[in-house]
């Protein structure tokens, strides 16, 4: 059962997401992209782990916290630039999430745990971190993949799909195979998994 500090933290995270100037169409009309993304993250968490702790639920919801403030094009458009951008975002988003937790009445220990999850520490060893990674990969496949695959050549897409698949758990794989997608997207996933 959720409590007041959890509701406060989620509310503050959603308030931040609602400030995203990037708007996208949705069933409820135009919405800030990061608010829509965070809701999809929470929906997939419910599928992955219906009994997830409030700490994991907060970390999942904070995954892209204020990400639009640091656009990808603020770093070099190469592999090194991409990795620097992602590393900076992980730290920044973790720090912002921890701050919201403290403001919402969580202990420093809980706030640090949320931050560690947002940074995806101990992936493969920590079940909550693995669940968060599964959720992020599932949202990528469900929400971003078809647009992404239009922008890159097939070899790069297949490589990215293999890396994505490798980061996921068996449960994540099961959920991924159930995602509705175009025939072409499904064909690319089949090719990516052919050698797995």
């Amino acid at each position: 059962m959720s409590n007041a500090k959890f509701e406060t933290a989620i509310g503050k995270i959603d308030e931040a997401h609602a400030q995203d100037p990037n708007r996208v169409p949705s069933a409820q009309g135009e919405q800030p992209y990061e608010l829509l993304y965070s809701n999809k993250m929470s929906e997939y968490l419910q599928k992955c782990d219906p009994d997830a702790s409030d700490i994991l639920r907060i970390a999942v919801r904070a995954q892209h916290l204020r990400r639009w403030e640091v656009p990808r094009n603020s770093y070099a458009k190469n592999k090194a630039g991409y990795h620097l951008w992602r590393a900076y975002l992980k730290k920044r988003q973790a720090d912002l999430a921890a701050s919201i937790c403290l403001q919402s009445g969580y202990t420093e220990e809980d706030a640090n745990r949320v931050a560690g999850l947002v940074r995806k520490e101990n992936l493969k060893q920590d079940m909550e971190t693995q669940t968060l990674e599964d959720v992020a990969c599932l949202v990528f496949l469900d929400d971003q993949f078809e647009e992404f695959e239009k922008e890159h050549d097939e070899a790069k897409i297949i490589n990215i799909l293999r890396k994505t698949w490798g980061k996921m758990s068996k449960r994540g794989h099961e959920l991924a195979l159930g995602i509705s997608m175009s025939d072409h997207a499904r064909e690319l996933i089949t090719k990516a998994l052919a050698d797995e």
Side-chain angles (χ1 to χ4, degrees), residues 46-67:
Q46 184 64 27
K47 292 177 184 180
C48 284
D49 183 1
D51 299 320
S53 70
D54 284 355
I55 296 299
L56 178 56
R57 292 167 64 203
I58 291 168
V60 161
R61 194 68 157 238
Q63 186 62 26
H64 279 185
L65 195 53
R66 305 191 78 81
R67 185 176 186 168

mmCIF file of all heavy atoms in Angstrom, residues 46-67:
data_model
loop_
_atom_site.group_PDB
_atom_site.id
_atom_site.type_symbol
_atom_site.label_atom_id
_atom_site.label_comp_id
_atom_site.label_asym_id
_atom_site.label_seq_id
_atom_site.Cartn_x
_atom_site.Cartn_y
_atom_site.Cartn_z
ATOM 1 N N GLN A 46 4.563 -2.525 -13.727
ATOM 2 C CA GLN A 46 3.427 -3.289 -13.215
ATOM 3 C C GLN A 46 3.380 -4.682 -13.856
ATOM 4 O O GLN A 46 3.063 -5.670 -13.202
ATOM 5 C CB GLN A 46 2.128 -2.515 -13.459
ATOM 6 C CG GLN A 46 0.886 -3.170 -12.894
ATOM 7 C CD GLN A 46 0.886 -3.286 -11.383
ATOM 8 O OE1 GLN A 46 1.519 -2.499 -10.683
ATOM 9 N NE2 GLN A 46 0.184 -4.277 -10.874
ATOM 10 N N LYS A 47 3.733 -4.763 -15.145
ATOM 11 C CA LYS A 47 3.764 -6.056 -15.834
ATOM 12 C C LYS A 47 4.946 -6.907 -15.376
ATOM 13 O O LYS A 47 4.823 -8.118 -15.234
ATOM 14 C CB LYS A 47 3.845 -5.850 -17.346
ATOM 15 C CG LYS A 47 2.598 -5.244 -17.944
ATOM 16 C CD LYS A 47 2.773 -4.996 -19.437
ATOM 17 C CE LYS A 47 1.546 -4.302 -20.002
ATOM 18 N NZ LYS A 47 1.656 -4.042 -21.433
ATOM 19 N N CYS A 48 6.088 -6.269 -15.179
ATOM 20 C CA CYS A 48 7.307 -6.988 -14.764
ATOM 21 C C CYS A 48 7.245 -7.435 -13.311
ATOM 22 O O CYS A 48 7.661 -8.545 -12.981
ATOM 23 C CB CYS A 48 8.540 -6.105 -14.945
ATOM 24 S SG CYS A 48 9.094 -5.912 -16.621
ATOM 25 N N ASP A 49 6.775 -6.528 -12.460
ATOM 26 C CA ASP A 49 6.786 -6.805 -11.016
ATOM 27 C C ASP A 49 5.626 -6.077 -10.345
ATOM 28 O O ASP A 49 5.791 -4.963 -9.841
ATOM 29 C CB ASP A 49 8.120 -6.370 -10.411
ATOM 30 C CG ASP A 49 8.238 -6.686 -8.930
ATOM 31 O OD1 ASP A 49 7.295 -7.276 -8.353
ATOM 32 O OD2 ASP A 49 9.273 -6.347 -8.336
ATOM 33 N N PRO A 50 4.452 -6.709 -10.318
ATOM 34 C CA PRO A 50 3.286 -6.053 -9.712
ATOM 35 C C PRO A 50 3.470 -5.720 -8.231
ATOM 36 O O PRO A 50 2.788 -4.847 -7.713
ATOM 37 C CB PRO A 50 2.158 -7.078 -9.881
ATOM 38 C CG PRO A 50 2.660 -8.110 -10.819
ATOM 39 C CD PRO A 50 4.145 -8.025 -10.856
ATOM 40 N N ASP A 51 4.410 -6.383 -7.574
ATOM 41 C CA ASP A 51 4.655 -6.139 -6.150
ATOM 42 C C ASP A 51 5.907 -5.296 -5.907
ATOM 43 O O ASP A 51 6.501 -5.353 -4.828
ATOM 44 C CB ASP A 51 4.783 -7.479 -5.410
ATOM 45 C CG ASP A 51 3.518 -8.309 -5.511
ATOM 46 O OD1 ASP A 51 2.414 -7.730 -5.418
ATOM 47 O OD2 ASP A 51 3.626 -9.532 -5.713
ATOM 48 N N ALA A 52 6.307 -4.517 -6.895
ATOM 49 C CA ALA A 52 7.529 -3.713 -6.778
ATOM 50 C C ALA A 52 7.472 -2.797 -5.559
ATOM 51 O O ALA A 52 6.410 -2.278 -5.201
ATOM 52 C CB ALA A 52 7.727 -2.868 -8.041
ATOM 53 N N SER A 53 8.634 -2.607 -4.943
ATOM 54 C CA SER A 53 8.729 -1.698 -3.800
ATOM 55 C C SER A 53 8.465 -0.262 -4.251
ATOM 56 O O SER A 53 8.638 0.088 -5.425
ATOM 57 C CB SER A 53 10.133 -1.783 -3.196
ATOM 58 O OG SER A 53 11.088 -1.205 -4.075
ATOM 59 N N ASP A 54 8.057 0.580 -3.304
ATOM 60 C CA ASP A 54 7.876 1.998 -3.616
ATOM 61 C C ASP A 54 9.188 2.616 -4.089
ATOM 62 O O ASP A 54 9.180 3.496 -4.961
ATOM 63 C CB ASP A 54 7.346 2.755 -2.396
ATOM 64 C CG ASP A 54 5.861 2.500 -2.143
ATOM 65 O OD1 ASP A 54 5.216 1.806 -2.962
ATOM 66 O OD2 ASP A 54 5.345 2.997 -1.123
ATOM 67 N N ILE A 55 10.298 2.170 -3.538
ATOM 68 C CA ILE A 55 11.610 2.707 -3.944
ATOM 69 C C ILE A 55 11.858 2.425 -5.420
ATOM 70 O O ILE A 55 12.271 3.315 -6.177
ATOM 71 C CB ILE A 55 12.735 2.095 -3.062
ATOM 72 C CG1 ILE A 55 12.564 2.529 -1.591
ATOM 73 C CG2 ILE A 55 14.113 2.463 -3.589
ATOM 74 C CD1 ILE A 55 12.631 4.014 -1.331
ATOM 75 N N LEU A 56 11.588 1.203 -5.868
ATOM 76 C CA LEU A 56 11.751 0.874 -7.290
ATOM 77 C C LEU A 56 10.744 1.640 -8.141
ATOM 78 O O LEU A 56 11.091 2.133 -9.219
ATOM 79 C CB LEU A 56 11.606 -0.633 -7.504
ATOM 80 C CG LEU A 56 11.702 -1.118 -8.959
ATOM 81 C CD1 LEU A 56 13.006 -0.672 -9.622
ATOM 82 C CD2 LEU A 56 11.558 -2.639 -9.026
ATOM 83 N N ARG A 57 9.534 1.772 -7.663
ATOM 84 C CA ARG A 57 8.516 2.505 -8.425
ATOM 85 C C ARG A 57 8.928 3.969 -8.626
ATOM 86 O O ARG A 57 8.712 4.548 -9.694
ATOM 87 C CB ARG A 57 7.167 2.398 -7.712
ATOM 88 C CG ARG A 57 6.612 0.966 -7.756
ATOM 89 C CD ARG A 57 5.447 0.733 -6.819
ATOM 90 N NE ARG A 57 4.310 1.536 -7.191
ATOM 91 C CZ ARG A 57 3.333 1.874 -6.357
ATOM 92 N NH1 ARG A 57 3.369 1.492 -5.090
ATOM 93 N NH2 ARG A 57 2.316 2.589 -6.772
ATOM 94 N N ILE A 58 9.534 4.565 -7.611
ATOM 95 C CA ILE A 58 10.022 5.944 -7.738
ATOM 96 C C ILE A 58 11.170 6.006 -8.748
ATOM 97 O O ILE A 58 11.204 6.873 -9.622
ATOM 98 C CB ILE A 58 10.454 6.500 -6.365
ATOM 99 C CG1 ILE A 58 9.230 6.714 -5.465
ATOM 100 C CG2 ILE A 58 11.236 7.812 -6.526
ATOM 101 C CD1 ILE A 58 9.568 6.984 -4.009
ATOM 102 N N ALA A 59 12.123 5.078 -8.635
ATOM 103 C CA ALA A 59 13.272 5.073 -9.550
ATOM 104 C C ALA A 59 12.834 4.896 -10.996
ATOM 105 O O ALA A 59 13.348 5.570 -11.895
ATOM 106 C CB ALA A 59 14.255 3.972 -9.143
ATOM 107 N N VAL A 60 11.878 4.017 -11.217
ATOM 108 C CA VAL A 60 11.363 3.794 -12.576
ATOM 109 C C VAL A 60 10.719 5.073 -13.103
ATOM 110 O O VAL A 60 10.948 5.478 -14.241
ATOM 111 C CB VAL A 60 10.377 2.604 -12.592
ATOM 112 C CG1 VAL A 60 9.481 2.622 -13.825
ATOM 113 C CG2 VAL A 60 11.146 1.288 -12.515
ATOM 114 N N ARG A 61 9.945 5.722 -12.272
ATOM 115 C CA ARG A 61 9.244 6.939 -12.693
ATOM 116 C C ARG A 61 10.228 8.085 -12.951
ATOM 117 O O ARG A 61 9.970 8.965 -13.765
ATOM 118 C CB ARG A 61 8.247 7.329 -11.607
ATOM 119 C CG ARG A 61 7.223 8.343 -11.995
ATOM 120 C CD ARG A 61 6.243 7.792 -13.033
ATOM 121 N NE ARG A 61 5.015 8.526 -13.000
ATOM 122 C CZ ARG A 61 3.835 7.991 -12.783
ATOM 123 N NH1 ARG A 61 3.712 6.696 -12.619
ATOM 124 N NH2 ARG A 61 2.764 8.743 -12.765
ATOM 125 N N ALA A 62 11.381 8.067 -12.279
ATOM 126 C CA ALA A 62 12.364 9.155 -12.396
ATOM 127 C C ALA A 62 13.428 8.889 -13.466
ATOM 128 O O ALA A 62 14.375 9.665 -13.594
ATOM 129 C CB ALA A 62 13.039 9.369 -11.045
ATOM 130 N N GLN A 63 13.275 7.833 -14.222
ATOM 131 C CA GLN A 63 14.313 7.396 -15.148
ATOM 132 C C GLN A 63 14.820 8.500 -16.078
ATOM 133 O O GLN A 63 16.003 8.606 -16.316
ATOM 134 C CB GLN A 63 13.800 6.210 -15.967
ATOM 135 C CG GLN A 63 14.826 5.577 -16.861
ATOM 136 C CD GLN A 63 16.015 4.996 -16.100
ATOM 137 O OE1 GLN A 63 15.914 4.632 -14.947
ATOM 138 N NE2 GLN A 63 17.141 4.930 -16.739
ATOM 139 N N HIS A 64 13.960 9.322 -16.621
ATOM 140 C CA HIS A 64 14.385 10.394 -17.541
ATOM 141 C C HIS A 64 14.149 11.777 -16.940
ATOM 142 O O HIS A 64 13.876 12.727 -17.658
ATOM 143 C CB HIS A 64 13.617 10.293 -18.858
ATOM 144 C CG HIS A 64 14.167 9.285 -19.797
ATOM 145 N ND1 HIS A 64 13.664 9.128 -21.065
ATOM 146 C CD2 HIS A 64 15.167 8.380 -19.681
ATOM 147 C CE1 HIS A 64 14.325 8.173 -21.686
ATOM 148 N NE2 HIS A 64 15.240 7.695 -20.867
ATOM 149 N N LEU A 65 14.293 11.896 -15.659
ATOM 150 C CA LEU A 65 13.950 13.132 -14.953
ATOM 151 C C LEU A 65 14.683 14.348 -15.527
ATOM 152 O O LEU A 65 15.904 14.414 -15.521
ATOM 153 C CB LEU A 65 14.265 12.965 -13.465
ATOM 154 C CG LEU A 65 13.683 13.976 -12.502
ATOM 155 C CD1 LEU A 65 12.174 14.110 -12.660
ATOM 156 C CD2 LEU A 65 14.004 13.567 -11.079
ATOM 157 N N ARG A 66 13.898 15.264 -16.060
ATOM 158 C CA ARG A 66 14.372 16.530 -16.642
ATOM 159 C C ARG A 66 15.412 16.294 -17.760
ATOM 160 O O ARG A 66 16.276 17.134 -18.016
ATOM 161 C CB ARG A 66 14.890 17.468 -15.558
ATOM 162 C CG ARG A 66 13.851 17.730 -14.452
ATOM 163 C CD ARG A 66 14.223 18.843 -13.529
ATOM 164 N NE ARG A 66 13.965 20.141 -14.144
ATOM 165 C CZ ARG A 66 12.768 20.743 -14.203
ATOM 166 N NH1 ARG A 66 11.714 20.157 -13.704
ATOM 167 N NH2 ARG A 66 12.626 21.901 -14.778
ATOM 168 N N ARG A 67 15.292 15.187 -18.439
ATOM 169 C CA ARG A 67 16.254 14.831 -19.489
ATOM 170 C C ARG A 67 16.287 15.848 -20.630
ATOM 171 O O ARG A 67 17.336 16.074 -21.228
ATOM 172 C CB ARG A 67 15.905 13.440 -20.030
ATOM 173 C CG ARG A 67 16.898 12.906 -21.026
ATOM 174 C CD ARG A 67 16.531 11.502 -21.427
ATOM 175 N NE ARG A 67 17.538 10.916 -22.279
ATOM 176 C CZ ARG A 67 17.586 9.649 -22.585
ATOM 177 N NH1 ARG A 67 16.698 8.813 -22.111
ATOM 178 N NH2 ARG A 67 18.518 9.190 -23.372
#
